């Protein structure tokens, strides 16, 4: 039925003669649209035939130009975004294969870009990609957007053009041609095309030298390999081929010789058909490798040298005399030697001792074993530095013999132990050029600071291991007026070619079977011919004899090392890496001296907790050969060999650093003769230091249900119900399985996708790559040292580290269960808070468990957190009012609260506080505001992208196609993500494994994250 009602829009319509009514009837807009201002000149527009379609093109172009300006490849600025580049779809990520080779870290990687911006690193899974990305590699994308980068070249600390630089350098080189030395000082680049280019450049100057300098030297290992195999390289190892691994002072799960051994190691550490490898670690500092070992033997470095001689005698049948080993561990070393001998070709030995004799002995042992894990033919080129050449260069500079010095990828004023001498000698060099991303300690003192591009803005090639050839390609156009060393060498040689053309023309000599485009697409090529090597004779017996003569120097043995997050210090201005907690000590924003508990007691050094839970520690003064390092914070470290101390390199930088990043002490000053072992004195200093420590609870207190573990013998001989006991609860006064009791009604989860994540405690090494990958993918903010100290860190993913209070975790459980009575309990549990002198160590990644019956969901008063059909626990940030009830009710303590606004806030002057730094943000993930709770989302944006991609292609999601940032980053394969409703997914099979258990299963939360029981081969 039609309505005769009339509706009025305005009271003025009641007056038929109103002028306002007439105006509204004839004009949609009351005010005239300012077309003159918007479209420009009225006369020009009136004579134009521009259509509406063309007009919209012009408007769209202004947005498109901004995005295209940063895209890889040449930009034709006249093309509007409506004629879209084929490879760029707004809202869809593009991936480019490239290689990082910064002189310390080497890896084949993929770069995720959004609208021309690199925002995340991922692993390249192509065949031949042997080294997976570590925490620093994942963090390197943020260094691209460092606001402290050099924006253009500088001459005498004043801005200059590249034309001025070229003129100055060519004049200097011409002058040097009359007799002065021309020296090129670089880091290890492992680049065949660059080596060829340098040789061509050097041929023009009779006194040219190319000196390779590694800030953290492997010179002794290189010397030993060169003596035996005739090439300056390092032996490679495949730990998946070893049944018995003996590591002597080598943190091969850390940064030893470039790292990247996690995958092979973890492959053999997961029990299969009742077998797994046995790992014995002999070391001074507690390392990642030592933490994962089945048996760890803490010895001084001198004693480690004696242990190597004992191993050499046992394997080769020699009888080199060696001093006795500490009687407390002598039997263990003897047992290790016997097990190694019995393993034969399935045994392997590695060492990180900076002594050419130690390195030669290890080569001899592996050759005698005919070790299958020992791969000398597949040599590594991740280190090529020569300590003797560097020392000679400094002497030549002091003598005034160097006319022109060109430096690239090095910062000797900071990293040399005699950095001050180098800076002084630099004044005697007529022309010094430093290619650097920043005006760092060296570049600020050079004649010319040449602004260098980030590796994500560069072309290059890399041979990481013999038989492979990798390409480095730019994923964004240079952000600033930078130039690669290679382009500069070509220009200074009078060659008009670009380095890209030079690289493309010369690359065919090092790879075959692929086109250039295919090589750039894949990022790596593997030779069809297996590499080979011929061993020459060496005096191995003499080396062992020399090793046995080692003497302890100083009151303590100082062992210098690199931390997992900071490495050699070249990314010290990276806030992700500064806030990344050390896997062992769980301390961020600092380096420190690690001291054994017994030694700390003698020296009066201490650690203690203050009222707000923060960790404090004494200061110490360390002296090496008359050089003092003062105000070094002290960490009392369980597992530290008595008589030794450890300090991390890479800290204490100040030049071209934000104030907040200027933390720690520069331990390079103690790195005399490029040797990680130094004789030292240590004494207590004045005052106390405030640490930012993320974990104050050191032990499990016998709670074997948190990290379940067993021995290989029990695993093989007993039923799973004994070593993976299921928790029981009381129901109607009867013990029943905790999983059989439910407070809520469950709904059918077999429809659609249902995501689960498996964490294998045998494969997890605690490296932390997943932590930084999570930061990059999910826009996790950096809060700074002060907030971390207040336990306000924002990491979505934490890796808990626990020590045993007895010699083993099994001993802790036995002690707890045998305790009875009030007084006995207080005494026992009080003692169990302190780790053992040489404890077992366990790592456990913990993040939101995405419980099917989540306690957080039931207490949120505004339904900001809820459960999704696919198994994820969701957070609606716009609904959250910050009551924090959810965090209080979470048994896993994995929720993070934004106490402040961490972006665009000068109080938190990190990457989110400047426009350049915010370019790294992932547009698929919301940047949270103050007062909002956040947590792991199981990377819902990634799972949805996978579903939509499969839908667009008209196919079901493939097996194991789903992944999260953490599971993708895990080089060891410990984290496996997938859909348990897909019977083919690996995670489905893992959920049915006998080793599977849930964290705090007795609480009844029914998590979608589960763990695999840790098995030790003791």
């Amino acid at each position: 039925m039609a309505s005769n009602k009339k509706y009025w829009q305005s009271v003025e319509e009641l007056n038929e003669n109103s002028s306002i009514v007439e105006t509204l009837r004839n004009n949609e807009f009351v005010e005239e649209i300012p077309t003159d201002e918007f479209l420009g000149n009225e006369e020009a527009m009136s004579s134009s035939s521009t259509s509406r379609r063309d007009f919209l093109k012009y408007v769209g172009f202004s947005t498109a130009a901004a995005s295209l300006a940063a895209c890889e490849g040449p930009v034709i600025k006249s093309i509007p975004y409506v004629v879209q580049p084929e490879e760029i779809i707004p809202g869809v990520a593009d991936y480019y294969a490239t290689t990082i080779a910064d002189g310390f870290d080497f890896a084949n990687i993929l770069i995720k870009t959004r609208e021309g911006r690199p925002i995340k690193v991922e692993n390249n899974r192509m065949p031949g990609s042997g080294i997976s990305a570590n925490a620093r590699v994942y963090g390197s994308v943020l260094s691209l957007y460092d606001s402290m980068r050099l924006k253009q070249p500088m001459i005498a600390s004043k801005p200059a053009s590249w034309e001025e630089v070229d003129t100055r350098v060519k004049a200097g080189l011409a002058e040097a041609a009359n007799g002065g030395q021309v020296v090129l000082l670089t880091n290890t680049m492992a680049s065949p095309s660059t080596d060829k280019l340098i040789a061509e450049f050097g041929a023009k100057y009779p006194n040219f030298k190319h000196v390779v300098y590694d800030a953290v030297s492997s010179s002794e290992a290189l010397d030993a390999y060169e003596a035996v195999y005739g090439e300056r390289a390092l032996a490679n190892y495949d730990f998946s081929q070893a049944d018995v691994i003996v590591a002597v002072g080598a943190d091969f799960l850390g940064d030893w010789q470039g790292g990247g051994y996690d995958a092979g190691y973890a492959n053999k550490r997961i029990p299969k058909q009742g077998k797994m490898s046995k790992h014995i670690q002999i070391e001074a500092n507690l390392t990642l490798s030592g933490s994962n070992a089945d048996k760890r033997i803490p010895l001084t470095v001198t004693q480690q040298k004696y242990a190597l001689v004992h191993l050499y005698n046992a394997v080769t049948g020699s009888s080199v005399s060696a001093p006795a080993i500490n009687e407390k561990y002598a039997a263990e070393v003897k047992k290790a030697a016997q097990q190694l001998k019995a393993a034969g070709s399935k045994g392997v030995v590695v060492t990180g001792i900076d002594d050419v004799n130690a390195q030669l002995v290890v080569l001899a042992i592996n050759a005698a074993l005919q070790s299958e894990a020992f791969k000398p033919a597949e040599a590594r080129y991740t280190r090529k530095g020569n300590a003797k050449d560097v020392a000679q260069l400094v002497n030549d500079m002091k003598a005034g013999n160097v006319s022109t010095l060109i430096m690239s990828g090095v910062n000797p004023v900071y990293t040399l132990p005699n950095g001050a001498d180098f800076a002084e000698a630099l004044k005697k060099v007529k022309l010094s050029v430093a290619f650097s991303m920043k005006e760092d300690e060296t570049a600020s003192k050079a004649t010319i600071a040449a602004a260098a591009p980030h590796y994500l803005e560069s072309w290059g090639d890399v041979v990481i291991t013999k038989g492979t050839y990798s390409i480095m390609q730019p994923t964004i156009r240079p952000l600033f007026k930078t130039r690669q060393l290679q382009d500069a060498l070509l220009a200074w040689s009078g060659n008009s070619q670009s380095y890209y053309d030079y690289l493309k023309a010369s690359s065919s000599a090092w790879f075959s079977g692929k086109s250039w485009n295919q090589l750039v697409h894949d990022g790596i090529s593997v030779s069809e011919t297996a590499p080979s090597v011929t061993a020459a004779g060496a005096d191995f017996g003499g080396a062992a004899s020399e090793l046995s003569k080692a003497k302890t120097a100083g009151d303590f043995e100082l062992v210098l090392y690199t931390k997992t997050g900071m490495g050699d210090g070249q990314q010290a201005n990276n806030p992700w890496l500064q806030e990344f907690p050390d896997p062992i000590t769980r301390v961020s924003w600092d380096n420190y001296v690690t001291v054994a508990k017994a030694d700390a007691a003698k020296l009066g050094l201490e650690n203690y907790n203050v009222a707000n839970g923060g960790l404090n520690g004494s200061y110490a003064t360390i002296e090496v050969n008359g050089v003092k390092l003062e105000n070094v914070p002290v960490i009392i470290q369980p597992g530290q060999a008595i008589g030794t101390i450890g300090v991390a390199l890479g800290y204490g930088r100040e030049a071209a650093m934000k104030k907040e990043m200027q933390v720690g002490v520069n331990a390079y000053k103690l790195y005399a003769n490029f040797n990680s072992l130094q004789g030292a004195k240590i004494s207590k200093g004045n005052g106390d230091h405030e640490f930012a420590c993320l974990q104050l609870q050191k032990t499990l207190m016998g709670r074997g249900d948190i990290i379940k573990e067993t021995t290989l013998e029990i695993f093989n001989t007993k039923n799973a119900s004994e070593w993976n006991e299921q928790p029981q609860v009381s129901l109607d006064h009867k013990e029943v399985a905790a999983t059989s009791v439910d407070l809520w009604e469950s709904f059918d989860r077999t429809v659609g996708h249902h995501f689960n994540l498996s964490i294998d405690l045998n494969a997890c090494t605690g490296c932390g790559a997943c932590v930084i990958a999570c930061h990059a993918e999910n826009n996790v903010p950096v809060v700074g040292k002060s907030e971390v100290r207040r336990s306000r860190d924002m990491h979505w993913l934490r890796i808990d580290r626990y020590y045993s209070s007895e010699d083993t975790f099994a001993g802790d459980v036995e002690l707890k269960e045998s305790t009875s009575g009030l007084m006995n309990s207080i005494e026992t549990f009080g003692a169990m808070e302190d780790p053992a002198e040489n404890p077992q160590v366990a790592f456990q990644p913990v993040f939101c468990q995405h419980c099917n019956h989540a306690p957080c969901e039931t207490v949120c008063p505004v339904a900001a957190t809820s459960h999704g059909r696919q198994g994820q626990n969701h957070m609606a940030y716009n609904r959250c009012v910050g009551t924090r009830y959810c965090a209080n009710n979470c048994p896993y303590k994995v929720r993070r609260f934004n106490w402040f606004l961490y972006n665009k806030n000068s109080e938190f002057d990190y990457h989110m506080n400047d426009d350049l730094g915010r370019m790294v943000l992932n547009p698929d993930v919301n940047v949270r505001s103050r007062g909002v709770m956040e947590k792991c989302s199981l990377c819902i944006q990634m799972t949805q992208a996978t579903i939509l991609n499969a839908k667009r292609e008209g196919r079901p999601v493939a097996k194991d196609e789903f992944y999260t940032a953490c599971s993708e980053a895990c080089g060891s394969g410990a984290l496996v993500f997938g859909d348990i409703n897909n019977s083919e997914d690996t995670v489905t099979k893992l959920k049915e494994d006998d080793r599977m258990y849930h964290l705090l299963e007795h609480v009844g939360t029914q998590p979608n994250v589960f763990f695999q029981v840790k098995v030790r081969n003791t």
Side-chain angles (χ1 to χ4, degrees):
M1 179 177 175
S3 173
N4 294 320
K5 290 183 180 180
K6 186 175 182 179
Y7 294 92
W8 306 96
Q9 293 180 328
S10 168
V11 69
E12 292 293 335
E13 292 186 52
L14 295 174
N15 182 1
E16 294 183 0
N17 299 320
S18 172
S19 60
I20 296 177
V21 174
E22 187 66 23
T23 302
L24 289 173
R25 185 178 293 127
N26 297 322
N27 296 284
E28 181 180 359
F29 302 102
V30 177
E31 296 182 6
E32 186 178 353
I33 298 175
T35 53
D36 291 351
E37 296 178 23
F38 186 63
L39 297 178
N41 188 288
E42 187 177 9
E43 293 181 6
M45 290 301 295
S46 63
S47 61
S48 171
S49 59
T50 302
S51 66
R52 180 175 179 274
R53 176 183 287 266
D54 289 335
F55 168 72
L56 291 175
K57 284 184 182 180
Y58 300 146
V59 173
F61 173 70
S62 61
T63 302
S67 298
L68 281 173
C71 298
E72 179 254 323
V75 176
I76 303 173
K77 296 183 180 180
S78 62
I79 299 181
Y81 217 38
V82 227
V83 185
Q84 189 172 295
E86 187 176 324
E87 68 275 15
I88 294 181
I89 302 174
V92 177
D94 289 311
Y95 292 83
Y96 296 91
T98 189
T99 306
I100 181 174
D102 64 8
F104 192 74
D105 290 309
F106 294 78
N108 298 111
I109 55 178
L110 299 177
I111 300 298
K112 178 182 180 180
T113 68
R114 282 295 302 271
E115 289 77 56
R117 293 180 296 113
I119 62 171
K120 184 170 176 277
V121 172
E122 294 188 4
N123 283 302
N124 188 341
R125 307 289 182 182
M126 292 292 294
S129 303
I131 299 180
S132 56
N134 58 30
R136 294 183 302 274
V137 175
Y138 275 97
S140 65
V141 68
L142 182 56
S143 296
L144 169 67
Y145 304 116
D146 189 342
S147 60
M148 303 298 289
R149 284 183 59 184
L150 270 172
K151 311 297 190 295
Q152 63 188 82
M154 312 278 282
I155 297 178
S157 300
K158 295 180 181 179
S161 66
W162 280 110
E163 290 74 16
E164 292 173 301
V165 170
D166 290 343
T167 301
R168 185 74 177 268
V169 172
K170 286 178 180 178
L173 290 171
E175 184 179 350
N178 297 324
Q181 283 188 22
V182 176
V183 179
L184 177 61
L185 178 65
T186 70
N187 58 358
T188 295
M189 292 183 287
S191 169
S193 66
T194 304
D195 288 343
K196 178 174 177 286
L197 176 56
I198 290 172
E200 292 170 357
F201 176 80
K204 297 178 179 292
Y205 305 98
N207 294 325
F208 175 80
K209 288 183 181 179
H210 178 205
V211 178
V212 182
Y213 167 48
D214 295 325
V216 182
S217 177
S218 295
S219 196
E220 287 74 12
L222 291 162
D223 291 343
Y225 185 92
E226 189 173 18
V228 177
Y229 298 104
E231 182 182 15
R232 196 156 187 81
L234 299 169
N236 205 353
Y237 297 87
D238 181 1
F239 291 104
S240 68
Q241 301 296 315
D243 288 342
V244 176
I245 302 166
V246 180
V248 184
D251 183 17
F252 60 88
L253 295 180
D255 297 331
W256 179 71
Q257 296 184 0
Y261 294 106
D262 311 53
Y265 174 80
N267 179 274
K268 206 61 181 284
R269 295 293 291 169
I270 299 172
K272 297 171 186 173
Q273 299 177 336
K275 294 182 179 181
M276 62 180 285
S277 63
K278 185 177 183 64
H279 174 195
I280 302 161
Q281 186 81 12
I282 304 173
E283 62 184 10
N285 296 341
L286 180 61
T287 65
L288 278 177
S289 301
S291 300
N292 285 278
D294 295 304
K295 185 65 184 178
R296 181 177 179 273
I297 305 172
L299 293 177
T300 65
V301 178
T302 303
Q303 293 267 310
Q304 291 172 33
K305 294 178 180 180
Y306 301 158
L308 271 178
V309 177
H310 286 282
L311 294 175
Y312 175 78
N313 286 341
V315 172
T316 65
S318 302
S319 55
V320 178
S321 177
I325 293 171
N326 185 331
E327 59 180 359
K328 188 175 181 178
Y329 300 109
E332 295 292 348
V333 173
K334 184 177 180 180
K335 184 178 178 181
Q338 293 169 346
Q339 292 173 332
L340 183 65
K341 174 72 173 176
S345 63
K346 287 294 183 180
V348 68
V349 181
V350 293
T351 186
I353 298 173
D354 289 335
D355 186 317
V356 68
N357 294 311
Q359 298 294 336
L360 284 169
V361 165
V362 165
L363 294 177
I365 293 173
N366 287 321
L369 289 170
Q370 296 184 325
S371 172
E372 296 176 20
F374 178 55
K375 306 288 184 182
E378 300 171 14
R380 280 192 169 206
Y381 300 111
T382 52
R383 300 287 184 270
K384 283 194 173 184
N386 192 314
K388 295 175 183 176
D389 288 353
V390 175
Q392 184 60 48
L393 170 62
V394 177
N395 291 333
D396 289 343
M397 290 169 63
K398 286 180 178 179
N401 297 331
V402 178
S403 176
T404 300
L405 175 64
I406 303 170
M407 297 170 281
S408 177
V410 295
N411 185 7
V413 174
Y414 164 68
T415 57
L416 281 175
N418 56 339
D421 288 350
F422 186 92
E424 194 63 29
L426 206 57
K427 297 176 182 177
K428 297 183 179 181
V429 177
K430 292 180 180 179
L431 175 66
S432 55
V433 183
F435 280 84
S436 175
M437 284 179 59
K438 301 177 187 176
E439 197 171 7
D440 56 27
E441 291 81 355
T442 302
S444 61
K445 290 179 169 54
T447 312
I448 299 173
H454 190 269
Y455 79 93
L456 294 178
E457 303 168 312
S458 307
W459 282 103
D461 61 348
V462 186
V463 175
I464 298 177
T465 57
K466 185 183 287 187
T468 66
Y469 182 73
S470 305
I471 283 293
M472 178 190 297
Q473 67 166 315
T475 58
I476 187 172
R477 290 190 58 169
L479 296 171
F480 307 113
K481 297 176 182 177
T482 57
R483 183 195 279 179
Q484 286 185 244
L485 168 70
Q486 293 89 338
D487 277 313
L489 293 180
L490 285 167
W492 300 337
S493 301
N495 191 332
S496 60
Q497 255 188 322
S498 68
Y499 177 54
Y500 168 77
D501 292 330
Y502 184 92
L503 171 65
K504 185 177 180 180
S506 58
S507 62
S508 58
W510 298 291
F511 81 98
S512 59
K514 288 184 180 181
S515 66
W516 167 256
N517 286 345
Q518 188 65 44
L519 174 65
V520 173
H521 173 273
D522 295 348
I524 186 170
S525 174
V526 181
S527 173
E528 297 175 357
T529 306
S532 60
V533 71
T534 303
D539 186 6
F540 298 117
S545 180
E546 286 297 316
L547 207 57
S548 67
K549 299 175 184 177
K551 302 292 182 184
T552 302
D555 300 340
F556 286 84
E557 288 187 357
L558 167 64
V559 181
L560 298 165
Y561 67 101
T562 55
K563 289 177 69 172
T564 306
M566 195 50 57
D568 62 352
Q570 60 182 290
Q571 292 195 72
N573 204 45
N574 189 316
W576 285 349
L577 300 180
Q578 287 284 7
E579 193 145 299
F580 174 74
D582 181 77
I584 306 297
T585 64
R586 305 289 289 140
V587 172
S588 64
W589 292 100
D590 258 319
N591 66 339
Y592 33 76
V593 55
T594 54
V595 184
K597 184 177 181 180
D599 290 331
K602 293 177 183 177
L603 295 165
L605 304 173
E606 60 180 348
N607 287 151
Y608 62 92
N609 297 112
V610 294
N612 69 354
L615 177 67
N616 283 14
S618 305
Y619 281 116
T621 298
I622 304 173
E623 183 178 349
V624 173
N625 298 325
V627 178
K628 288 186 177 182
L629 202 59
E630 298 180 331
N631 295 324
V632 185
V634 173
I635 287 287
I636 299 173
Q637 178 60 55
Q640 184 80 30
I642 294 175
T644 69
I645 56 177
V647 181
L649 301 165
Y651 286 81
R653 293 190 59 183
E654 295 180 358
M657 298 275 292
K658 285 190 175 183
K659 184 178 180 181
E660 292 81 359
M661 309 291 179
Q662 297 176 18
V663 296
V665 294
N666 183 7
Y668 279 113
K669 295 177 180 178
L670 308 181
Y671 193 36
N673 301 315
F674 306 101
N675 199 305
S676 59
L677 171 63
Q678 302 290 332
K681 297 178 181 178
I682 181 172
S683 58
K684 184 176 182 179
N686 297 321
D688 289 338
H689 182 78
E690 296 183 347
F691 288 103
C693 185
L694 276 75
Q695 182 182 347
L696 303 180
Q697 178 66 31
K698 297 180 179 179
T699 65
L700 279 171
M701 305 288 290
R703 297 179 65 187
D705 59 330
I706 303 294
I707 294 183
K708 291 187 179 183
E709 64 169 58
T710 186
T711 64
L712 184 61
E713 181 183 0
I714 295 174
F715 176 78
N716 286 331
T717 58
K718 296 189 177 181
N719 192 282
S721 60
E722 295 187 49
W723 49 263
N724 187 11
E725 186 178 352
Q726 298 305 304
Q728 305 289 307
V729 295
S730 177
L731 178 66
D732 296 330
H733 307 289
K734 296 179 182 178
E735 274 199 355
V736 297
T739 53
S740 67
V741 180
D742 206 337
L743 295 179
W744 294 275
E745 290 185 8
S746 297
F747 59 85
D748 183 12
R749 294 188 175 91
T750 61
V751 179
H753 304 290
H754 191 99
F755 299 119
N756 270 211
L757 196 151
S758 171
I759 304 172
D760 197 322
L761 298 179
N762 264 62
C764 177
T765 63
C767 70
C770 52
V771 176
I772 303 299
C774 176
H775 266 266
E777 176 65 31
N778 295 296
N779 300 336
V780 177
V782 172
V783 299
K785 181 176 180 179
S786 177
E787 291 299 292
V788 172
R789 181 172 166 80
R790 291 179 172 89
S791 300
R792 293 177 177 174
D793 61 284
M794 296 300 292
H795 299 95
W796 284 12
L797 190 164
R798 71 175 191 264
I799 303 180
D800 290 336
R801 178 269 304 127
Y802 295 106
Y803 303 121
S804 64
S805 51
E806 297 296 300
D807 289 338
T808 64
F809 285 106
D812 291 356
V813 175
E814 291 175 12
L815 180 61
K816 184 194 77 169
E817 291 179 349
S818 65
T819 302
S820 61
L822 176 62
M823 298 309 295
N824 181 249
S825 296
I826 292 174
E827 183 180 343
T828 301
F829 289 126
M832 289 180 75
E833 291 183 4
D834 293 325
E837 179 184 307
N838 181 30
Q840 279 188 341
V841 186
F843 296 105
Q844 185 176 48
V846 180
F847 39 89
C848 178
Q849 303 294 288
H850 295 271
C851 311
N852 288 324
H853 291 163
C856 56
E857 295 169 10
T858 59
V859 297
C860 181
V862 293
T865 182
S866 58
H867 210 69
R869 185 81 189 197
Q870 296 175 345
Q872 291 141 318
N873 176 269
H874 298 316
M875 270 298 305
Y877 299 124
N878 284 352
R879 293 187 65 89
C880 181
V881 294
T883 64
R884 293 182 286 142
Y885 295 164
C886 54
N888 293 337
N889 219 38
C890 175
Y892 307 102
K893 300 305 169 193
V894 290
R895 288 178 164 265
R896 302 289 177 260
F897 184 67
N898 285 266
W899 291 91
F900 299 98
L901 181 67
Y902 297 120
N903 67 90
K904 297 183 181 179
N905 185 344
S906 59
E907 294 297 319
F908 299 93
D909 191 19
Y910 308 110
H911 66 287
M912 285 191 183
N913 192 44
D914 61 72
D915 291 336
L916 184 63
R918 280 195 295 275
M919 286 180 70
V920 81
L921 296 178
N922 183 356
D924 289 336
V925 180
N926 190 18
V927 177
R928 284 73 65 186
S929 186
R930 180 182 180 183
V932 172
M933 188 67 69
E934 62 182 70
K935 62 165 194 69
C936 163
S937 65
L938 277 185
C939 294
I940 188 170
Q941 70 281 2
M942 298 177 71
T943 58
Q944 292 307 301
T946 302
I947 293 169
L948 292 172
N949 187 52
K951 182 179 180 180
R952 186 174 63 251
E953 295 174 5
R955 60 173 177 81
V957 177
K959 173 190 174 184
D960 294 332
E961 188 176 355
F962 287 112
Y963 63 94
T964 60
C966 57
S967 67
E968 185 283 324
C970 186
S972 64
L975 301 175
V976 178
F977 180 76
D979 178 10
I980 58 170
N981 286 345
N982 182 348
S983 60
E984 294 184 355
D985 266 19
T986 303
V987 75
T988 308
K989 298 176 177 63
L990 290 172
K991 191 161 188 178
E992 302 301 320
D993 195 282
D994 286 341
R995 291 199 295 138
M996 190 279 291
Y997 77 97
H998 290 108
L999 189 59
L1000 300 181
E1001 195 158 25
H1002 60 277
V1003 179
T1005 55
Q1006 297 187 12
N1008 284 311
V1009 176
F1010 57 88
F1011 296 82
Q1012 305 289 332
V1013 173
K1014 187 175 181 67
V1015 181
R1016 295 184 187 268
N1017 189 358
T1018 54

